[in-house]
Amino acid sequence: MRVRATAAVALVASLALAACSVVLLYAVHTNLVASAQNTARDHVDKAAHQLGSGTSPADVQAALPDIILDTAPLAGSSSTASADQGASASVGTPTGPILVQAFPNRAPAHTAVITLTWALVPCTALLVLLVAYLAWYAMGRALRPVENIRAEFADITAHSLQRRVPVPDSDDEVASLAETMNGTLDQLQRAVGRLRTFTSDASHELRGPLTTLKARLELALARPERAEWTTVGNEALRDTTRLEDIVTDLLLLARLDARQPLKLQPLCVTDLLRRTLAERYPRQPVVLVTDSDPDPDEAILGSPTALARLFTNLLDNAVRHAHSTVTVEVRHTEHEVVVEVSDDGPGIPEPDRERVFDRFTRLDNARTPSEGGTGLGLAIARDIATAHGGTLTAEPPRTTDGGARLLLIIARQDQPRSHVAATRLKTGRA
C-alpha cells in the first residue's frame, strides 16, 4: 500500500509539473514572439516616419538595419502586421513609393525556450523525487500504527487471547480500528472461555452417566447368574435417558448459539401456558394467574415450540424446588407481556441470581440425577428468551417467606424488540 500510494503521488506530481512546465514554456515563447513582432512593427513605423519626413533611404537603412526598403507599387502610407510576414508599410517619397518591411526575430524566443526546457527537466525531476520521498515518509508515519497493530495481532493465538493490539494516541480511523479489534478480541476471549468451560462441564456431565452405565453392565456380566437383569435394564435405561436428555439439551444450545432463525408466528402467551400446564403438569401444584383477558389481537411474535420449551424449563425448575405451590402470573402492559414464575421453595441467594443462568450450574449440593436436572434448563430458557428479543432474570422474592421468582419479559407484536431492554432500564427493574 505504501509503494502504491507513493507511486500514485509521484505520478500525479509528474503530470502536474509537466503540465505547468508546458504552460510556462508556451507563455514564455508567446510573449517573446509577441515582443519581437511589436519591435518589428515599431521599426517599420519609425522608418516610415523618417522616410516621410525626407530622410534618405540610405540613412534610414543605416539607422534601422533590420528593415527592408523596396520600391512599393502603392502610394500613401499604410501599416499592416502579420505573424508570418512581419510588419510592412508603403511610404510615398519624392523619388517614388517605397515599401518598408520588417520581420520579427524569433531566434531569441527559440533559444530561451530551449534553455528553459533544459533547466526545467532536472528541476522537475528533483521536485518529483522530493514529493515521492515526502509521500513515502508521510505514509510510513501514518501506517506505522497499522503495522504495529498487524504485528501484534499476528502474534495473538488461541492461547494468548488476553493480549490486545496497541491503540495510537491519535483520534483517527486507525485508533478506531484498534479499539474495534480490541473489542472483538474481548468478545472472542469471553466466547473461548465459555466454550472451554462448557466443554469441560459437558464432558463431566456425560462421563458420569456413562461411567455408571458401564460399571453396572460390567458387574452384571461378571456374574450373569446372580444379576437381576430387570433391575439392570431399568437402571441402564434411566442412565441412557439421562444421556439422551443431556445430548438433546446440548444440541438445542448449539442451535441457539448458531443464531438459527426461529419460525415466528402470532400467538397468545396465556393460551400457550394453559396448554403446557394441561399437557405436562395436570397433577402438579401449579396455579396460573392472569390479568383481565387481553384483546384477541394482543399477541406476541414467537415460536410455539421454543416458548413451550422455555415455560417447561421454568416450571420444571420451580416444581423441583417448591415445597407446596408454584405460581405462574401473566400480565399484559402497553408494550410487553410479563410472565412471572415463582415458588415457595428455598429461593435463590442474591449472589447466585445471575449465575443460575450459566450452563451446568446447580445450586443444590448434589450433582446426581435424583437431586436435579442437567443444569441446562435455565440457560436454555434465557437463550430462547433472548432469541425472541426478550429478557429472563431472577428477581428478589415478593415476601419474606422466600422462594424463587423468575421474570420473563417479551415485547408485544406491534412493538420493536429493542423496546424490552429500554423499558427495563426506564422502570429500573433488576
Side-chain angles (χ1 to χ4, degrees):
M1 178 179 178
R2 187 180 183 184
V3 175
R4 293 195 300 269
T6 302
V9 171
L11 178 61
V12 172
S14 300
L15 295 177
L17 290 175
C20 293
S21 300
V22 170
V23 172
L24 177 62
L25 292 174
Y26 176 78
V28 170
H29 181 268
T30 302
N31 289 333
L32 290 178
V33 170
S35 178
Q37 290 176 345
N38 291 332
T39 300
R41 187 179 300 109
D42 291 341
H43 286 183
V44 168
D45 292 340
K46 186 176 181 180
H49 177 72
Q50 291 177 357
L51 290 173
S53 61
T55 304
S56 64
D59 293 337
V60 173
Q61 185 74 60
L64 301 172
D66 59 328
I67 63 173
I68 300 174
L69 301 179
D70 196 2
T71 301
L74 299 177
S77 179
S78 63
S79 179
T80 61
S82 171
D84 296 327
Q85 298 179 356
S88 62
S90 180
V91 182
T93 63
T95 60
I98 298 177
L99 179 63
V100 182
Q101 291 181 322
F103 295 94
N105 185 8
R106 291 187 173 87
H110 294 311
T111 302
V113 168
I114 293 174
T115 303
L116 186 59
T117 300
W118 282 108
L120 286 175
V121 169
C123 292
T124 301
L126 290 176
L127 284 176
V128 171
L129 292 177
L130 178 61
V131 171
Y133 171 76
L134 293 177
W136 177 268
Y137 179 77
M139 289 296 295
R141 290 290 301 271
L143 294 177
R144 188 175 303 162
V146 178
E147 174 60 23
N148 294 336
I149 293 172
R150 186 206 64 78
E152 183 68 22
F153 193 78
D155 291 337
I156 296 177
T157 63
H159 301 288
S160 58
L161 289 176
Q162 72 280 359
R163 297 170 58 181
R164 296 295 178 266
V165 299
V167 179
D169 297 332
S170 58
D171 187 13
D172 54 10
E173 291 79 2
V174 177
S176 299
L177 173 64
E179 293 173 354
T180 302
M181 293 180 68
N182 285 336
T184 303
L185 288 173
D186 290 338
Q187 297 179 7
L188 181 61
Q189 183 181 8
R190 290 193 295 269
V192 171
R194 288 195 302 266
L195 178 61
R196 289 171 178 170
T197 302
F198 179 72
T199 303
S200 176
D201 290 340
S203 300
H204 176 80
E205 292 292 331
L206 292 172
R207 188 182 298 114
L210 284 173
T211 302
T212 303
L213 178 60
K214 180 180 179 181
R216 286 171 179 167
L217 293 176
E218 287 178 345
L219 288 174
L221 291 174
R223 296 180 178 180
E225 68 282 355
R226 297 183 182 181
E228 296 181 2
W229 288 103
T230 302
T231 303
V232 172
N234 290 332
E235 292 175 346
L237 179 61
R238 186 177 61 218
D239 292 337
T240 304
T241 301
R242 178 167 175 76
L243 286 171
E244 182 182 14
D245 292 340
I246 295 175
V247 172
T248 301
D249 288 345
L250 290 175
L251 290 176
L252 178 57
L253 283 172
R255 287 195 296 269
L256 292 173
D257 288 341
R259 300 292 189 270
Q260 294 181 359
L262 299 174
K263 295 181 180 180
L264 305 181
Q265 65 184 55
L267 57 87
C268 179
V269 172
T270 304
D271 292 342
L272 183 59
L273 272 171
R274 287 196 180 102
R275 291 196 300 270
T276 302
L277 293 177
E279 293 173 0
R280 297 183 59 89
Y281 308 94
R283 299 179 181 179
Q284 299 291 341
V286 180
V287 178
L288 177 62
V289 180
T290 63
D291 55 5
S292 57
D293 292 337
D295 296 334
D297 60 343
E298 289 187 350
I300 65 169
L301 280 178
S303 167
T305 304
L307 288 178
R309 178 61 184 272
L310 186 155
F311 296 147
T312 300
N313 288 1
L314 295 183
L315 291 170
D316 285 345
N317 180 78
V319 169
R320 184 181 303 115
H321 296 92
H323 293 316
S324 59
T325 306
V326 174
T327 303
V328 181
E329 183 180 353
V330 182
R331 299 189 299 271
H332 296 79
T333 66
E334 181 181 358
H335 301 292
E336 60 198 19
V337 177
V338 181
V339 178
E340 181 178 314
V341 180
S342 57
D343 61 69
D344 57 355
I348 304 174
E350 184 176 357
D352 297 324
R353 287 175 186 160
E354 183 62 27
R355 191 171 68 88
V356 293
F357 296 101
D358 294 340
R359 298 171 181 183
F360 296 109
T361 297
R362 298 190 186 92
L363 301 184
D364 42 30
N365 294 327
R367 294 178 64 88
T368 61
S370 61
E371 296 291 336
T374 63
L376 297 173
L378 293 183
I380 292 174
R382 170 169 277 190
D383 285 351
I384 293 175
T386 302
H388 284 80
T391 59
L392 177 62
T393 55
E395 304 294 334
R398 293 183 179 273
T399 64
T400 57
D401 296 336
R405 188 164 72 95
L406 299 177
L407 195 66
L408 170 67
I409 301 177
I410 301 179
R412 290 255 301 276
Q413 180 177 349
D414 55 345
Q415 300 297 327
R417 296 186 177 186
S418 59
H419 188 279
V420 175
T423 302
R424 289 182 57 79
L425 292 174
K426 184 177 179 181
T427 58
R429 289 196 293 267

